[in-house]
Amino acid sequence: MTASNYVTSSDPKNHDLAYDIQPDLDDQAQAYFKWVLGFTVGVAGVMFGFFAVSNNLLPVPWLWLGLFIGLSFFAYQRKRLNVSIDLYFVAIIGVFTFLLAEYGPTPTQITLLMIPIIVASLVAKKRLRLVTAAVVILEVLVVSSKLNGFFAALPSVIVPITINILLVFVSQFREADILDTVYWATDIQKKDRRRAESFYQQREELNAALLQLAHTHSKLETINAQLAQTNIDLAAAREKADRVSQAKSVFLSNMSHELRTPLNVIIGYSSSMLRMPQMFQHVPMPEIYKPFIQLIEDNGHYLVGLINDVLDLSKIEAGKLELHPTNLELPELLRGIISTSIGLIKDKPLTIRPDFPDDLPSVWADPMRVRQVLLNLMSNAIKFTHTGSITLSAQRVGDMVSISVIDTGIGIAESAQRAIFDRFQQAAQNIEVQYGGTGLGLDISKQLSLMHGGDLTVSSVVGQGSTFTLTLPLAAYVQPELEHTPDGELAAADLALEGSIPVSDRNCFVLVAEDEVNSREFIKQTLENNGYRTIHTHDGQEAVEFAAGFLPDLIILDAHLPTLSGWKALKVLKDQPETAHIPVIIYAAEEHSDMAATLGAALFIQKPTTAELLLERVEQITVKAES
Amino acid sequence: MNILYIEDEPDVVTLVSMYVNSAGHSLTVVKDTDEARRKFAFQPDLVLVDVRLRHRNEGRDFVRELRAQGYEGVVVAVTAMSSPQDVEANYEAGFTEVLLKPFTIDQLADVVARYTPA
């Protein structure tokens, strides 16, 4: 790089250098000029003194010099640098002119003339430099030729003049001051040193960072190894749990079988004695025995019910209870419930009243389980109502059918209503003694209702009666194609939201984690009918594994899943870097939108939901994710 | 009507035989399916089979075998295996009907009456 490049370059890479250095140079030039001024005053003083002492006083040039240097100094003090420099050259050139005139152009004199030119090239601007050189050279030529004749003088002045011209040329061609070069060079060095320092510093930092990285890496490797071990342990624990669970269900199933056989003897013979006299050769049984034989049979049936409850509960707990939902016509089922319930009243002064229209829309439910829940509610109502009525009513409420069992019984205190669906809880200890029962029935009924995508709730006033309400989703909302039109494709298209992506164009992959069969089917059907691809699981742990393995575009998590709850699964998903970006919808019967948001869920949907709402939410998220 | 009953629980056998005899039918009782195969030659009108015999689901294999041989008569499972899966498996194996234990005498009477030829 040359000096001119440095000063005039518009190369953006060098721009900052020029910008940095230029003001320094001016300052430096000013400082040097100050020294030059001082030096010149000193020289003038010494010369004046020297000539005065030698009695060969030649005052005019030194007075001239003193006057103009003084003016220049004054200008310098007033910060008029250009004026100061101009005055300085007037002073110095004048002095040399006097000296030339006095002593003739000897080589010494002419060489002295180089001083203003050098000084000019050090501190003056281009114009002044040229003027100085021109004036000095002209003077030399004029003075020499006057004294000796132009051509006679030429040989003695040609060398210094050429040197002067060369000096001017050099400084002109550089188009920069010599000092610039000096400072540029020193500054480049400074810059380089600074760069080198920062480079070394960066290298140090880099080394430190690399060391830190290596350290972190080894830590990560340790953690990975620990994780791998944890995974192995987890898999082993899970396998063990599966084996235990398997063993438990085999045990329960065997136990059930073993209990039923002796119960068959109890129920079989007691029912025979009461209702099949021909088996006993028509020998009449004393009337006084009859109620007690009846008690034996009733308790036999009660024990069978208990075994069924325990089996159901263990299946629900293990997530192994499967629903077989169909398009269920309620009026027929409800009439069956009523006729069975009438048989349970026996001699109590109770009436059972049906209160439902014949054109109830069908629900999407497992008939066996709905019957189980309603019979449980009816038998409870009969058990706890001594006189009055029990009403079985049903009507459509929005997207659900709500079925209520309303009794005029003893009622349930408000404080006990919350605990009533809890396992093994009955409202009070004395109730259990007085009325029998284990309290498993309502727990199971609640679980079964939730599994259907519905719910079971209670309202009651002590002494006036209780109302238990079961809600079930309309079949039309779960399986729209069955209700709307025989052509499933058309129905699905109808259901697709206005302005949504055409069914066939979607390329969205949804993981549905839901252990309740019909709820899962509902979500799957709704999404698949609208062009989403789905994969499903009934298990929380499996949901996490599937998510990492399949990297779906969206995950719908039920809050209550076996092995790993939806909440825990959500946390794991958000903690895993490979799954953290996947939006998650949490789906629960209870309102927990705050918790869902805190744990990083994209959305919370409360059960039960409609196909429209579900689609709208899913679309909302997948569209957001795409954009 | 001739009824063949495969059952290894003597107390239940007594109950069923008391009812069947009082209802005017004849009952042949065997303890396992090997014996049942030997007795099958007398062509029963109704076959009642306990599914769980000798700790195996022998009754299920037996009815499968009968159906494979082309037997089209009524074969009723009388069993304490009450889970939906078991009930389904029993129907799939070829049972005409499943009577779950414990049964009341009315339920037994109902089954017998249903398959008694007019």
Side-chain angles (χ1 to χ4, degrees):
Chain A
M1 186 191 273
T2 65
S4 68
N5 270 347
Y6 153 61
V7 174
T8 61
S9 170
S10 57
D11 185 345
K13 269 188 282 185
N14 293 323
H15 185 75
D16 59 330
L17 283 175
Y19 186 81
D20 280 354
I21 291 167
Q22 200 60 48
D24 289 350
L25 272 181
D26 282 352
D27 287 348
Q28 287 287 352
Q30 283 184 37
Y32 274 80
F33 181 63
K34 194 177 167 186
W35 281 108
V36 167
L37 268 180
F39 177 75
T40 314
V41 169
V43 167
V46 169
M47 291 299 280
F48 191 81
F50 177 73
F51 284 112
V53 169
S54 66
N55 216 7
N56 185 15
L57 190 63
L58 194 65
V60 180
W62 309 114
L63 284 176
W64 174 278
L65 183 66
L67 176 67
F68 281 94
I69 288 291
L71 287 172
S72 171
F73 206 79
F74 179 71
Y76 180 83
Q77 294 289 41
R78 300 291 299 268
K79 304 272 179 205
R80 303 294 296 272
L81 193 62
N82 287 337
V83 175
S84 171
I85 290 171
D86 288 349
L87 285 169
Y88 176 80
F89 280 96
V90 169
I92 203 161
I93 291 168
V95 167
F96 283 106
T97 310
F98 282 120
L99 288 175
L100 264 179
E102 187 65 31
Y103 299 108
T106 61
T108 317
Q109 301 292 343
I110 291 170
T111 309
L112 277 175
L113 278 174
M114 284 162 67
I115 291 170
I117 296 177
I118 291 170
V119 172
S121 71
L122 281 174
V123 298
K125 298 256 182 280
K126 185 177 173 179
R127 181 180 49 82
L128 187 58
R129 223 154 44 207
L130 283 173
V131 169
T132 310
V135 166
V136 168
I137 291 165
L138 207 67
E139 270 182 12
V140 170
L141 285 174
V142 167
V143 172
S144 316
S145 58
K146 259 205 169 158
L147 289 175
N148 307 327
F150 182 74
F151 292 103
L154 204 56
S156 60
V157 297
I158 191 81
V159 173
I161 284 176
T162 309
I163 290 172
N164 279 344
I165 290 172
L166 276 175
L167 256 176
V168 170
F169 261 102
V170 168
S171 65
Q172 284 317 112
F173 271 115
R174 267 170 55 306
E175 288 191 347
D177 300 322
I178 292 169
L179 272 183
D180 282 7
T181 317
V182 175
Y183 287 114
W184 171 72
T186 51
D187 216 83
I188 286 291
Q189 197 200 349
K190 269 189 210 159
K191 283 249 164 182
D192 278 351
R193 201 170 57 231
R194 247 181 281 152
R195 272 190 199 157
E197 273 168 10
S198 92
F199 172 73
Y200 282 125
Q201 196 183 342
Q202 279 174 12
R203 205 172 66 175
E204 289 289 302
E205 283 168 7
L206 204 65
N207 277 339
L210 279 173
L211 207 67
Q212 184 68 36
L213 206 65
H215 185 60
T216 311
H217 187 249
S218 79
K219 251 192 201 167
L220 269 179
E221 275 185 341
T222 316
I223 292 171
N224 268 342
Q226 283 169 354
L227 270 179
Q229 185 56 46
T230 311
N231 275 341
I232 292 168
D233 292 350
L234 271 177
R238 199 180 155 196
E239 204 178 307
K240 194 180 168 193
D242 282 351
R243 274 206 308 275
V244 169
S245 162
Q246 185 69 28
K248 184 177 147 194
S249 55
V250 168
F251 167 77
L252 279 169
S253 156
N254 285 342
M255 209 56 194
S256 152
H257 183 268
E258 295 310 311
L259 287 169
R260 277 163 198 275
T261 307
L263 276 168
N264 200 51
V265 175
I266 294 168
I267 291 172
Y269 284 108
S270 54
S271 62
S272 302
M273 288 162 82
L274 289 165
R275 299 191 289 280
M276 213 55 84
Q278 71 267 33
M279 283 170 66
F280 306 94
Q281 295 161 6
H282 296 285
V283 173
M285 179 169 56
E287 280 298 316
I288 196 164
Y289 291 174
K290 276 190 181 170
F292 304 104
I293 305 288
Q294 185 65 54
L295 269 181
I296 293 173
E297 190 189 351
D298 289 351
N299 277 279
H301 286 301
Y302 168 69
L303 279 174
V304 174
L306 198 56
I307 293 165
N308 289 340
D309 281 358
V310 170
L311 280 178
D312 279 353
L313 210 57
S314 90
K315 276 186 206 152
I316 289 172
E317 273 199 331
K320 280 181 181 160
L321 191 118
E322 283 186 26
L323 292 181
H324 302 282
T326 59
N327 239 9
L328 180 59
E329 300 293 342
L330 280 172
E332 193 188 327
L333 183 129
L334 295 179
R335 280 190 284 272
I337 298 286
I338 287 178
S339 65
T340 308
S341 305
I342 287 170
L344 299 172
I345 294 179
K346 295 180 184 161
D347 47 4
K348 275 192 182 177
L350 279 177
T351 54
I352 294 187
R353 293 203 298 242
D355 176 22
F356 49 86
D358 274 341
D359 60 349
L360 268 178
S362 54
V363 292
W364 183 247
D366 183 337
M368 188 179 108
R369 297 302 178 180
V370 173
R371 192 173 288 119
Q372 182 181 349
V373 171
L374 290 176
L375 275 177
N376 177 248
L377 296 180
M378 289 300 278
S379 71
N380 281 346
I382 291 166
K383 200 193 287 179
F384 295 111
T385 308
H386 301 296
T387 173
S389 68
I390 293 159
T391 309
L392 181 60
S393 83
Q395 76 260 353
R396 178 182 173 161
V397 179
D399 309 331
M400 315 287 283
V401 168
S402 126
I403 308 161
S404 298
V405 175
I406 305 152
D407 67 43
T408 56
I410 59 171
I412 305 154
E414 205 163 325
S415 58
Q417 286 175 21
R418 280 188 296 276
I420 200 166
F421 297 114
D422 282 355
R423 204 147 301 174
F424 307 115
Q425 290 276 339
Q426 280 199 334
Q429 192 72 27
N430 62 340
I431 285 181
E432 191 174 334
V433 174
Q434 193 178 347
Y435 297 95
T438 56
L440 285 180
L442 278 177
D443 181 17
I444 293 167
S445 296
K446 175 89 175 180
Q447 301 292 334
L448 288 173
S449 311
L450 291 174
M451 281 175 72
H452 276 89
D455 201 359
L456 180 61
T457 53
V458 62
S459 68
S460 180
V461 175
V462 173
Q464 290 183 23
S466 309
T467 300
F468 282 85
T469 304
L470 164 70
T471 53
L472 293 169
L474 288 183
Y477 283 91
V478 182
Q479 288 217 315
E481 68 270 32
L482 293 178
E483 193 76 358
H484 289 249
T485 149
D487 189 338
E489 286 293 316
L490 267 176
D494 285 342
L495 197 64
L497 295 170
E498 267 185 27
S500 64
I501 306 160
V503 168
S504 56
D505 288 0
R506 260 193 245 271
N507 187 24
C508 194
F509 186 37
V510 185
L511 169 61
V512 180
E514 166 67 283
D515 58 330
E516 299 166 16
V517 159
N518 70 321
S519 184
R520 182 169 73 223
E521 283 305 307
F522 160 65
I523 297 172
K524 267 189 65 186
Q525 290 276 336
T526 306
L527 294 179
E528 282 173 7
N529 287 344
N530 286 275
Y532 292 92
R533 287 182 297 128
T534 68
I535 178 176
H536 68 269
T537 170
H538 62 275
D539 178 284
Q541 182 61 41
E542 202 164 76
V544 170
E545 285 162 14
F546 277 12
F550 294 97
L551 294 177
D553 300 303
L554 172 67
I555 301 168
I556 301 181
L557 271 182
D558 176 33
H560 304 285
L561 288 172
T563 15
L564 197 65
S565 82
W567 297 112
K568 284 183 186 154
L570 172 62
K571 195 174 178 310
V572 175
L573 287 171
K574 289 296 159 193
D575 286 349
Q576 280 183 167
E578 66 268 32
T579 53
H581 68 283
I582 305 172
V584 178
I585 295 181
I586 284 275
Y587 188 56
E590 314 81 28
E591 161 59 32
H592 280 313
S593 50
D594 285 353
M595 182 145 89
T598 311
L599 287 173
L603 256 183
F604 174 82
I605 299 181
Q606 190 166 5
K607 289 181 189 180
T609 183
T610 62
E612 276 92 345
L613 188 70
L614 178 70
L615 273 177
E616 192 182 315
R617 293 294 163 84
V618 167
E619 186 141 319
Q620 185 185 334
I621 288 182
T622 51
V623 167
K624 202 195 286 170
E626 273 164 29
S627 59
Chain B
M1 173 165 78
N2 288 326
I3 300 173
L4 175 64
Y5 188 23
I6 314 172
E7 173 65 87
D8 57 357
E9 289 288 338
D11 294 342
V12 182
V13 167
T14 311
L15 175 69
V16 172
S17 79
M18 276 171 75
Y19 171 72
V20 167
N21 290 332
S22 75
H25 305 294
S26 89
L27 185 75
T28 307
V29 179
V30 294
K31 278 197 165 62
D32 56 58
T33 54
D34 296 334
E35 208 181 327
R37 282 183 197 92
R38 290 197 292 277
K39 297 273 182 182
F40 210 72
F42 79 101
Q43 294 188 331
D45 301 300
L46 173 63
V47 186
L48 305 173
V49 184
D50 183 11
V51 176
R52 194 92 182 151
L53 296 164
R54 296 186 286 198
H55 303 291
R56 291 191 293 115
N57 295 337
E58 229 180 271
R60 216 176 271 166
D61 297 336
F62 180 66
V63 74
R64 234 178 246 129
E65 194 183 304
L66 285 182
R67 297 304 182 203
Q69 287 165 8
Y71 184 74
E72 288 177 355
V74 176
V75 186
V76 175
V78 182
T79 178
M81 295 162 69
S82 61
S83 77
Q85 290 88 338
D86 280 324
V87 172
E88 204 174 311
N90 286 340
Y91 278 115
E92 272 174 18
F95 284 110
T96 316
E97 185 164 339
V98 177
L99 176 62
L100 282 184
K101 290 177 185 174
F103 52 81
T104 62
I105 206 68
D106 318 83
Q107 288 168 317
L108 176 66
D110 188 47
V111 168
V112 171
R114 205 173 321 142
Y115 299 112
T116 304

